[in-house]
Amino acid sequence: MKTNIALYSFVAAIIFAATSLLLPPTGVIDRSVLVLVAQLLVLCATFLGIKDYTNLINRKQS
């Protein structure tokens, strides 16, 4: 279930970013869209367990 939510949030972030780049004025992303995309990507990273992954890398480097 977490993997599906992570995948859907990643896809939604890409769609929102691409759509906002194509709308007039072309090439300008509004601040609210940037916040939405950032929050969706953080949600994706949280569900995929990026924190656990970085902890694993830090343990191997020590």
Side-chain angles (χ1 to χ4, degrees):
M1 183 70 176
K2 286 183 179 181
T3 306
N4 289 340
I5 294 173
L7 178 65
Y8 294 145
S9 67
F10 181 76
V11 170
I14 298 301
I15 289 172
F16 280 120
T19 302
S20 66
L21 279 173
L22 297 175
L23 293 175
T26 306
V28 177
I29 300 179
D30 190 53
R31 193 176 301 169
S32 61
V33 177
L34 286 175
V35 170
L36 175 64
V37 168
Q39 289 178 347
L40 287 169
L41 292 175
V42 167
L43 177 71
C44 177
T46 301
F47 279 142
L48 290 177
I50 298 301
K51 183 178 179 186
D52 294 333
Y53 180 70
T54 56
N55 288 341
L56 179 67
I57 290 174
N58 288 337
R59 277 187 251 146
K60 284 185 179 180
Q61 290 179 353
S62 299

